[in-house]
């Protein structure tokens, strides 16, 4: 026969402080564990949303990011001659050659702290290729003018890039004429201008950093890759879907954060498990007479074992719930860091995914199982006579 | 002295519980030490900076170059001893995951401004004499098994094309704070290829390294350098090496905050473990404490007894944690490629912090049970049923 759950619950009441401390300990571990996974997921989510699966981006094979890729104008023309490149209404390729550079800007509130910001020069079809980029304040930059529009997250975080300001780079000054939003994607953390103006300012001739185009139909990537492999002039370049390209930029950062975080939370959890173990051992020691009585009433050893295991798992689940509850508030937080993939500032928010919740719960139950097992075994193995006599 | 004996006897009453508590604290302190070591590794570049080195780069950002012609203008300034220059090469060796710093440097001056890179004289001469020679750090040589005479093939990205470099020298870092995973080759070799293939990019350097006579002049000389090139097409930004390195670290402040936050949580966890143990022990001994009070022991005796036990346990745990930090840091540097964290070792400061936070936790964890036992009257204590 099973020992009623009520018995377990009543026990928490009689030892509130110790139980509470253990719950807090587990909640702390779960909170940190969840926060780390949420951070890694947030970076990934932002960059995955940045790229579209319908667009293909071409970069130099050896390049680690857009800034270290160079595509000459003649290569650009070769890529445009591939039949899988979609056309705009006026029969021009729906493609943008981007020039991507990094400039330093001063962050608000850090007394002169600077960080890297991506400046992207785009061609006109860029706004058709990336329809989520929309000017929300001020106006669009004029093609052929030294004007730029600034992503929402950059204008929130950096000095001197609000509408009406001028930014100095490339031996010239650029007027900020508008602010755009890109739906929480990586483009929100950039500054955009006319690519021909940037090429001119940086002495780039007709060269681009990357070339992005819309595929003429779905699933044309294989055909495009074949076209690249078959052309000697394109050997040094690689075509990928835009989504995959940006997702890869999140790889290093999200692996780094998860690996470090998990490595450390595992140690944390050992601490918490030991805390739970101490609590459960004490619970067993204090209740020796009770356990004897239960056994004398006819409850089996395995019922006692189950009751103590349940107690431990409930403690850890309550801890997990508290930890997850607190961590879920992190979703409202927007943070930014230098992304190693692009070497520039990226804003993103913590993302709570179902996977993260599951991992946190499994992790907590494991802590409860490990912490509760040995004490529960001790409780189950007490002999009735000795237990009753121990008072 | 008697009381000390009683403290030790008390810790041994619940051997399993005391053992678990010490183990728990030990593991948490180890995690703390490890975290601090990661944070200090992050700042290694700042720490290793020399006070007499200035870095001059393009004011727009470090990806934009400066003309080579700036070199002589900078060298003429009073207080400047030596000027050297470098370019970030980037490139891919084997595949993109194999990361280490690859730079084009001026062989004549590079080692004058970086005296902490120690190179045998004959190797240095061989390096200077061969156009496509390179010099690699001892840690890098160990990681990839590079030997003198080996050819390192690379695929360029910033500087497109295939490149080959011959290892002619291996430098030893002067001490463990110095990065031993860099690779330098002749700047002239890079420039020559650029002149042929992309003439627009010839004669450009990534940044200048300036050695000055007196570190006190750093601010003055920085300003003078920047003034020379003001309103030119490539304006400069000059700062001390430490400030330059700090700029790189500042961008990843989020990770530092995350690590510091975790360290904070760990101290909280240690406190909970120890606090829990002490509260339980004191609760079980309520009757005893009442007996002690009855036979004339004062409150201060009880305080010493409980606090002493708590501190003994926390210090033992702290000691265990510090002892465990070394193997775990060693394990981590075995698993993670050396070039990710070129400088990775346990700083004495880390140990001091770990030890003192363990002591602090020992004191704090005993406060609650002390207060409780002092407040309990003798009668209530004797009547207490656990």
């Amino acid at each position: 026969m099973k020992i009623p759950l009520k018995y377990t619950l009543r026990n928490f009441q009689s030892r509130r402080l110790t139980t509470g401390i253990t719950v807090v300990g587990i909640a702390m571990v779960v909170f940190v564990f969840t926060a780390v996974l949420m951070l890694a997921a947030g970076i990934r989510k932002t960059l995955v949303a940045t790229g579209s699966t319908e667009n293909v981006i071409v970069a130099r094979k050896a390049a680690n990011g857009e800034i270290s890729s160079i595509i000459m104008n003649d290569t650009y023309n070769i890529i445009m001659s591939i039949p899988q490149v979609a056309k705009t209404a006026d029969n021009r390729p729906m493609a943008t050659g981007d020039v991507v550079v990094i400039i330093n800007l001063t962050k608000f509130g850090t007394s002169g702290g600077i960080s890297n910001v991506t400046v992207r020069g785009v061609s006109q079809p860029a706004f058709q290729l990336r329809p989520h980029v929309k000017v929300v304040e001020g106006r669009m930059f004029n093609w052929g003018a030294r004007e730029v529009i600034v992503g929402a997250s950059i204008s929130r975080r950096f000095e001197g890039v609000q509408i009406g300001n001028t930014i100095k780079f490339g031996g010239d000054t650029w007027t900020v004429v508008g602010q755009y939003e890109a739906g929480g994607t990586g483009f929100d953390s950039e500054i955009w201008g006319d690519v021909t103006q940037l090429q001119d300012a940086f002495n780039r001739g007709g060269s681009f950093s990357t070339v992005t185009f819309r595929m003429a139909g779905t699933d044309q990537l294989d055909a495009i890759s074949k076209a690249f492999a078959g052309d000697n002039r394109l050997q040094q370049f690689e075509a990928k879907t835009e989504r995959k390209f940006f997702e890869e930029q999140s790889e290093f950062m999200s692996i780094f954060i998860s690996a470090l975080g998990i490595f450390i939370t595992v140690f944390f959890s050992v601490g918490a498990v030991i805390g739970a173990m101490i609590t459960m051992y004490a619970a067993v020691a204090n209740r020796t007479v009770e356990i004897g009585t239960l056994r004398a009433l006819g409850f089996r050893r395995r019922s006692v074992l189950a009751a103590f295991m349940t107690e431990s798992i409930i403690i850890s689940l309550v801890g997990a719930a508290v930890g997850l509850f607190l961590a879920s508030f992190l979703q409202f937080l927007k943070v930014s860091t230098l992304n190693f993939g692009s070497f520039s500032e990226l804003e993103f928010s913590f993302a709570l995914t179902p996977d993260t919740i599951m991992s946190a719960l499994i992790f907590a139950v494991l802590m409860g199982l490990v912490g509760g097992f040995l004490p529960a075994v001790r409780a189950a193995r007490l002999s009735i006579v000795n237990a009753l006599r121990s008072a | 002295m008697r009381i000390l004996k009683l403290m030790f006897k008390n810790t041994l009453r619940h051997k399993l519980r005391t053992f678990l508590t010490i183990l728990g604290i030990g593991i948490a302190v180890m995690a703390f030490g490890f975290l601090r070591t990661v944070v200090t590794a992050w700042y290694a570049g700042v720490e290793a900076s020399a006070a007499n080195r200035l870095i001059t780069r393009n004011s727009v950002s470090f990806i934009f170059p400066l003309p080579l012609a700036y070199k002589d203008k900078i060298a003429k300034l009073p207080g400047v001893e030596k000027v050297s220059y470098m370019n970030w090469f980037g490139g891919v060796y084997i595949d993109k995951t194999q990361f280490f710093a690859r730079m084009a440097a001026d062989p004549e001056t590079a080692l004058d401004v970086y005296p902490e890179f120690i190179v045998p004289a004959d190797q240095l001469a061989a390096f200077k004499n061969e156009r496509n020679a390179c010099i690699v750090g001892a840690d890098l040589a160990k990681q990839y098994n590079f030997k003198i005479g080996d050819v390192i093939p690379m695929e360029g990205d910033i500087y497109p094309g295939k490149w080959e470099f011959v290892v002619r020298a291996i430098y030893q870092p002067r001490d463990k704070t110095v990065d031993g995973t860099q690779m330098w080759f002749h700047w002239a070799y890079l420039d020559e290829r650029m002149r042929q293939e992309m003439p627009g990019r010839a004669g450009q350097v990534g940044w200048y390294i300036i050695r000055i006579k007196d570190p006190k002049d750093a601010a003055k000389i920085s300003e003078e350098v920047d003034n020379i090139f003001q309103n030119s097409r490539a304006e400069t930004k000059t700062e001390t090496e430490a400030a330059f390195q700090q700029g790189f670290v500042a961008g990843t402040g989020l990770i530092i905050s995350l690590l510091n936050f975790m360290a904070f949580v760990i101290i909280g966890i240690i406190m909970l473990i120890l606090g829990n143990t002490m509260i339980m022990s004191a609760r079980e001994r309520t009757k005893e404490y009442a007996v002690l009070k009855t036979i004339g022991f004062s409150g201060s005796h009880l305080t010493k007894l409980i606090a002493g036990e708590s501190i003994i346990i926390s210090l033992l745990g702290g000691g265990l944690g510090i002892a465990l930090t070394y193997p775990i840091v060693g394990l981590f540097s075995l698993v993670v490629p050396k070039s990710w964290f070129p400088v990775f070792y346990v700083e004495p400061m880390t140990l001091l912090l770990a030890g003192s936070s363990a002591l602090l936790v020992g004191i704090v964890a005993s406060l609650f049970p002390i207060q409780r036992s002092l407040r309990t009257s003798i009668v209530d204590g004797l009547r207490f049923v656990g």
Side-chain angles (χ1 to χ4, degrees):
Chain A
M1 207 175 107
K2 269 174 40 189
I3 297 176
L5 195 63
K6 212 172 172 186
Y7 169 79
T8 310
L9 298 180
R10 284 270 168 85
N11 274 317
F12 293 140
Q13 238 174 358
S14 64
R15 258 168 289 272
R16 263 169 302 198
L17 189 62
T18 309
T19 311
I21 286 178
T22 316
V23 167
V24 172
I26 290 177
M28 275 168 128
V29 176
V30 170
F31 178 81
V32 173
F33 180 78
T34 314
V36 165
L37 291 184
M38 282 170 77
L39 194 66
I43 295 179
R44 251 184 69 89
K45 195 177 152 199
T46 303
L47 284 168
V48 165
T50 306
S52 152
T53 49
E54 295 171 2
N55 297 344
V56 167
I57 184 165
V58 181
R60 193 168 280 273
K61 259 183 200 161
N64 280 305
E66 287 185 275
I67 51 164
S68 53
S69 169
I70 301 168
I71 298 178
M72 293 299 173
N73 198 32
D74 44 353
T75 316
Y76 173 80
N77 291 329
I78 297 166
I79 298 169
M80 288 305 109
S81 68
I82 296 175
Q84 284 83 7
V85 178
K87 296 281 191 283
T88 56
D90 53 353
N91 204 30
R92 300 226 310 249
M94 198 196 271
T96 172
D98 289 359
V99 164
V100 180
V101 295
I102 288 174
I103 63 167
N104 290 146
L105 290 174
T106 308
K107 274 186 161 183
F108 278 125
T110 50
S111 60
I114 54 164
S115 191
N116 298 333
V117 175
T118 298
V119 176
R120 183 185 297 273
V122 296
S123 326
Q124 299 200 6
F127 292 88
Q128 274 170 281
L129 288 166
R130 300 157 183 155
H132 47 298
V133 177
K134 288 195 182 75
V135 175
V136 291
E137 246 179 82
R139 60 170 174 87
M140 170 66 190
F141 60 80
N142 283 324
W143 300 94
R146 303 254 159 154
E147 294 177 344
V148 291
I149 53 174
V150 172
S153 109
I154 297 299
S155 104
R156 246 197 322 273
R157 288 181 187 274
F158 290 89
E159 284 175 18
V161 288
Q162 287 65 43
I163 296 176
N165 287 125
T166 53
I167 316 171
K168 211 174 160 192
F169 61 82
D172 217 331
T173 52
W174 305 71
T175 313
V176 179
V177 295
Q179 187 185 321
Y180 68 87
E181 269 175 19
T185 65
F187 294 133
D188 268 323
S189 304
E190 297 184 342
I191 295 176
W192 282 22
D194 179 352
V195 67
T196 54
Q197 295 299 308
L198 281 155
Q199 283 173 332
D200 176 52
F202 292 123
N203 270 333
R204 293 259 170 133
S207 74
F208 302 103
S209 302
T210 55
V211 174
T212 307
F213 61 85
R214 176 66 51 86
M215 284 188 277
T218 47
D219 286 335
Q220 297 286 306
L221 191 66
D222 284 344
I224 294 166
S225 304
K226 230 174 248 158
F228 269 72
D231 193 325
N232 258 334
R233 297 164 298 178
L234 296 177
Q235 289 306 307
Q236 286 184 19
F237 303 93
E238 197 174 11
K240 282 178 188 164
T241 64
E242 205 187 9
R243 168 155 302 172
K244 181 149 184 270
F245 184 84
F246 283 108
E247 188 182 348
E248 281 174 359
Q249 289 201 348
S250 73
E251 240 166 43
F252 183 80
M253 209 61 179
S254 75
I255 290 176
F256 181 81
I257 292 178
S258 326
L260 194 65
I262 289 172
F263 196 73
I264 291 162
T265 34
V266 164
F267 292 133
F268 276 28
S269 67
V270 176
V273 163
I274 290 175
M277 219 184 248
I278 294 170
T279 306
M280 291 310 293
Y281 267 124
V284 173
N286 288 332
R287 274 188 257 156
T288 311
V289 181
E290 261 173 61
I291 294 165
T293 315
L294 285 171
R295 293 287 317 283
L297 286 173
F299 287 102
R300 293 297 190 83
R301 282 181 199 278
R302 59 167 180 273
S303 306
V304 174
L305 183 82
F308 277 88
M309 290 300 283
T310 314
E311 190 169 332
S312 159
I313 289 171
I314 289 177
I315 290 182
S316 62
L317 279 178
V318 172
V322 173
L324 277 171
F325 177 73
L326 293 177
S328 67
F329 287 101
L330 291 174
Q331 289 180 95
F332 300 109
L333 210 66
K334 280 199 162 141
V335 288
S336 81
T337 181
L338 193 83
N339 180 23
F340 293 132
S342 59
F343 230 82
S344 59
E345 195 82 1
L346 177 73
E347 186 189 63
F348 58 94
S349 30
F350 288 81
L352 188 58
T353 63
D355 278 1
T356 306
I357 298 179
M358 272 318 286
S359 319
L361 286 177
I362 292 172
F363 186 54
V365 170
L366 269 177
M367 285 195 283
L369 279 176
V370 176
F373 185 70
L374 289 178
V377 167
R378 172 180 283 190
R381 287 177 61 174
L382 287 174
S383 83
I384 302 180
V385 180
N386 288 342
L388 284 174
R389 207 188 269 152
S390 77
Chain B
M1 268 304 95
R2 281 271 159 80
I3 198 154
L4 202 62
K5 197 171 171 191
L6 194 55
M7 276 179 214
F8 276 107
K9 288 263 178 214
N10 268 342
T11 58
L12 293 177
R13 275 167 67 177
H14 277 282
K15 288 199 189 65
L16 179 66
R17 181 189 296 170
T18 309
F19 167 76
L20 284 176
T21 310
I22 291 174
L23 189 67
I25 296 174
I27 288 170
V29 168
M30 172 190 76
F32 179 83
F34 173 75
L35 266 179
R36 287 277 324 162
T37 305
V38 173
V39 173
T40 50
W42 213 265
Y43 281 98
V46 181
E47 293 293 318
S49 300
N52 65 346
R53 271 201 298 261
L54 304 178
I55 306 283
T56 299
R57 61 172 175 89
N58 191 305
S59 68
V60 174
S61 80
F62 69 90
I63 72 162
F64 294 103
L66 295 170
L68 180 64
Y70 285 12
K71 181 181 180 232
D72 295 335
K73 290 186 183 162
I74 297 172
K76 272 188 207 134
L77 285 173
V80 171
E81 279 188 339
K82 206 97 197 179
V83 181
S84 189
Y85 47 94
M86 285 187 174
N87 284 37
W88 182 262
F89 176 73
V92 176
Y93 173 63
I94 305 177
D95 63 56
K96 283 186 194 174
T97 61
Q98 308 297 319
F99 172 81
F100 53 88
R102 299 140 194 169
M103 259 105 65
D106 173 30
E108 296 304 324
T109 52
L111 286 149
D112 295 331
V113 292
Y114 286 106
E116 62 265 49
F117 288 39
I118 294 161
V119 187
D122 55 327
Q123 290 185 15
L124 181 60
F127 167 60
K128 285 183 179 175
N129 280 335
E130 200 168 323
R131 212 171 40 96
N132 64 342
C134 72
I135 177 167
V136 296
D139 291 326
L140 194 66
K142 204 169 131 198
Q143 186 180 339
Y144 292 103
N145 202 18
F146 291 144
K147 282 180 210 61
I148 303 278
D150 282 1
V151 174
I152 306 179
M154 273 192 209
E155 175 83 36
D157 54 345
I158 305 172
Y159 300 98
K162 299 219 178 302
W163 298 78
E164 282 187 347
F165 307 104
V166 187
V167 179
R168 284 295 169 221
I170 294 176
Y171 76 83
Q172 293 292 335
R174 185 182 55 205
D175 53 53
K176 58 187 175 182
T177 65
V178 178
D179 181 356
T181 66
Q182 298 193 5
M183 177 226 170
W184 297 352
F185 64 91
H186 287 216
W187 182 87
Y189 181 47
L190 182 79
D191 196 51
E192 189 180 294
R193 285 266 301 254
M194 283 300 108
R195 209 169 286 283
Q196 289 165 6
E197 293 163 19
M198 301 175 147
R201 295 179 60 189
Q204 294 184 328
V205 306
W207 64 92
Y208 288 97
I209 306 112
I210 306 170
R211 194 178 81 200
I212 55 176
K213 270 199 197 85
D214 188 349
K216 281 204 290 290
D217 295 335
K220 193 177 121 251
I221 296 178
S222 300
E223 209 184 314
E224 283 170 359
V225 172
D226 292 347
N227 281 341
I228 304 179
F229 307 111
Q230 206 165 22
N231 296 322
S232 69
R233 263 194 79 83
E235 292 191 359
T236 60
K237 175 169 175 156
T238 306
E239 54 198 345
T240 60
E241 190 184 15
F244 177 74
Q245 296 282 358
Q246 182 76 43
F248 278 96
V249 180
T252 50
L254 180 70
I255 294 180
I256 306 289
S257 330
L258 186 74
L259 294 175
N260 281 332
F261 171 72
M262 284 193 184
F264 190 70
V265 172
I266 292 182
I267 296 190
I269 289 179
I270 310 178
M271 190 134 9
L272 289 179
I273 298 174
L274 185 62
N276 198 6
T277 299
M278 290 317 294
I279 288 168
M280 280 188 306
S281 301
R283 188 170 182 266
E284 286 160 12
R285 294 175 201 156
T286 311
K287 246 184 209 171
E288 270 172 56
Y289 294 145
V291 171
L292 285 176
K293 279 190 198 166
T294 314
I295 55 180
F297 283 97
S298 66
S300 73
H301 272 107
L302 287 188
T303 307
K304 276 185 213 152
L305 204 61
I306 301 173
E309 187 180 345
S310 176
I311 291 170
I312 288 171
I313 295 179
S314 70
L315 287 185
L316 284 174
L320 177 71
I322 288 172
L324 285 175
T325 303
Y326 285 94
I328 206 72
V329 165
L331 181 76
F332 186 79
S333 21
L334 276 185
V335 178
V336 171
K338 182 82 184 160
S339 41
W340 282 27
F341 288 106
V343 176
F344 200 74
Y345 69 100
V346 185
E347 273 191 353
M349 189 62 194
T350 299
L351 300 185
L352 197 69
L353 273 177
S356 49
S357 35
L359 180 66
L360 186 75
V361 165
I363 295 168
V364 174
S366 62
L367 293 181
F368 189 76
I370 287 174
Q371 188 215 22
R372 200 186 236 189
S373 61
L374 289 185
R375 250 213 234 133
T376 313
S377 69
I378 296 180
V379 181
D380 284 341
L382 289 174
R383 211 191 266 154
F384 183 80
V385 187

